[in-house]
DNA sequence: CCCTTATGTAAGCAGACGCTTACAATGCTA
DNA sequence: TAGCATTGTAAGCGTCTGCTTACATAAGGG
């Protein structure tokens, strides 16, 4: 069928040996103009590119050749640094997952996460972790496990807000809503949900969940 | 190293030439004991097998060889009857999608759909249409389109319950919750959500959504 | 009976895939 | 300068994929 559809970054054209300068807005860019043999930098570039490709195509449709091409790196390095494609996905998912959890008080956690989905999910600039989750959840078995583990922690934190005996179930229902909204916006793109203002969605959802999460019983 | 990750149904084991009689508990089995050249029956068997395989593995991970094997049919027939793997998915998704919509009054629609997800989604016996949606939504571009179209109709019907000016957005939020719950139960399998009683979940969700869907403003 | 059409089968094609291997640079240290 | 581990590269291996082709049956009609 298609075989084409996405731009094939063939390879570096001529004899120029591989280094292609700093790609630009790297974080806290050192003054070092060229670092031709930088393991950490290469690892980071691979991780970043992998996040982007997984977010765009999902785990199965993404290829290590695509990732290597986007990172400007030989694909053999992916296996040197990460071992396998699956391990790469796991690493991508693991990075940055728990930061929000430890930096946010429980009673602000849900709204923060929801706004994260609403804002971060769509823009191509951000790391789009949620898109990786949503697009890969059906295929790779690593994805459901990671989502389950991460969701477990969110739900536990969220459950502490309610003293109901089924507080965990309630918290998981709230998390499920969050995921569903992300799915509809990012992957399905259903209107008017996909273009609605985060504030409006937040208002509706938080109002509806008031009883579920906050009630004394 | 593994490269495999999921059980590979290698191929038909021995020299036995692929025929393998009527598998037994086929749905509403006609009395016809053997119909060696039955186009409609073959088509139906392929569709049924495709639904099962797509539901279990998702679109990308499912192979036409798997589907053909499960249907007890030569894989070339899949392309004769459906043209392509993607067209097969579309057909699988299209079947039975709108029946519920036309058979259910709007004010019972959401609960009916929700219970459908909660009951049908898990059991391996049923056709598990929801599982196909959830597992394939990230990969095949046919899936998001179908989900969007179907969700559009559900949301429109649901929106008629509210006279709010953003009633459609509200309805889509409700549908998103439904999808998210299905995702968490069927694909992720997060406990205690995955094993919770449909009645309990229904109660929580319907209570929370009362204001969203029913309110006069 | 042959001819045509519908149905099923066996084999394979061309390409993409994850991953490996053999080897060239590079930098560090002694 | 020699030795060595680290980092990067080119090429390909074996397998799987969706899909096609050439051919075997079966039914039906003249």
């Amino acid at each position: 069928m298609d075989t084409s559809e996405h731009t094939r970054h063939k390879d570096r054209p001529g004899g120029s040996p591989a280094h292609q300068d700093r790609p630009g807005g790297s974080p806290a860019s050192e003054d070092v103009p060229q670092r031709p043999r930088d393991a950490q930098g290469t690892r980071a570039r691979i991780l970043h590119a992998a996040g982007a490709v997984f977010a765009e195509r999902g785990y199965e449709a993404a290829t290590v050749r695509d990732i290597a091409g986007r990172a400007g790196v030989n694909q053999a390095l992916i296996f040197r640094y990460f071992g396998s494609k699956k391990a790469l996905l796991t690493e991508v998912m693991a990075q940055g997952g728990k930061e929000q959890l430890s930096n946010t008080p429980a009673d602000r956690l849900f709204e923060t996460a929801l706004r994260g989905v609403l804002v971060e999910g769509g823009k191509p600039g951000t790391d789009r972790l949620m898109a990786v989750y949503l697009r890969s959840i059906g295929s790779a078995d690593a994805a459901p496990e990671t989502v389950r583990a991460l969701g477990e922690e969110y739900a536990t934190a969220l459950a502490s807000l309610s003293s109901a005996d089924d507080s965990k179930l309630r918290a998981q229902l709230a998390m499920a809503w969050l995921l569903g909204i992300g799915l509809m916006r990012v992957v399905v793109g259903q209107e008017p949900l996909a273009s609605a203002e985060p504030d409006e969605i937040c208002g509706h959802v938080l109002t509806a969940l008031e009883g579920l999460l906050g009630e004394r019983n």
Side-chain angles (χ1 to χ4, degrees), chain A residues 28-210:
Chain A
S29 61
E30 303 333 320
D31 45 1
V32 184
Q34 282 190 358
R35 196 120 55 102
R37 291 170 71 84
D38 173 18
Q40 279 192 189
T42 302
R43 234 190 95 101
R45 278 225 302 277
I46 292 173
L47 263 181
H48 188 263
V53 176
F54 283 147
E56 286 172 19
R57 305 208 218 297
Y59 175 77
E60 302 270 3
T63 72
V64 300
R65 284 169 173 85
D66 277 335
I67 296 169
R70 171 119 34 148
V73 147
N74 189 292
Q75 64 154 329
L77 293 182
I78 290 184
F79 297 96
R80 191 203 290 296
Y81 285 119
F82 298 95
S84 73
K85 185 191 177 189
K86 192 153 107 181
L88 216 203
L89 174 71
T90 303
E91 195 116 355
V92 166
M93 284 182 160
Q95 69 170 0
K98 303 181 181 178
E99 300 170 6
Q100 187 179 71
L101 195 63
S102 54
N103 295 343
T104 315
D107 61 329
R108 299 279 306 167
L109 186 59
F110 185 80
E111 181 173 352
T112 304
L114 176 57
R115 286 190 182 277
V117 171
L118 295 176
V119 175
E120 173 194 325
K123 286 192 207 149
T126 57
D127 50 355
R128 288 175 295 174
L129 190 57
M130 178 59 67
V132 178
Y133 285 145
L134 295 175
R135 289 210 136 91
S136 306
I137 207 169
S139 36
D141 35 346
E145 282 171 32
T146 311
V147 171
R148 181 165 46 236
L150 201 57
E152 176 74 20
E153 306 194 45
Y154 270 81
T156 301
L158 218 55
S160 68
L161 293 181
S162 165
S163 57
D165 52 346
D166 62 345
S167 59
K168 194 150 189 181
L169 175 65
R170 292 162 180 249
Q172 286 178 352
L173 281 173
M175 296 304 300
W177 203 354
L178 203 152
L179 241 90
I181 292 172
L183 225 176
M184 278 299 197
R185 270 174 78 102
V186 178
V187 180
V188 177
Q190 194 172 41
E191 296 295 351
L193 215 197
S195 305
E197 283 298 317
D199 282 340
E200 194 176 359
I201 296 176
C202 253
H204 282 319
V205 172
L206 292 179
T207 303
L209 286 183
E210 240 169 36

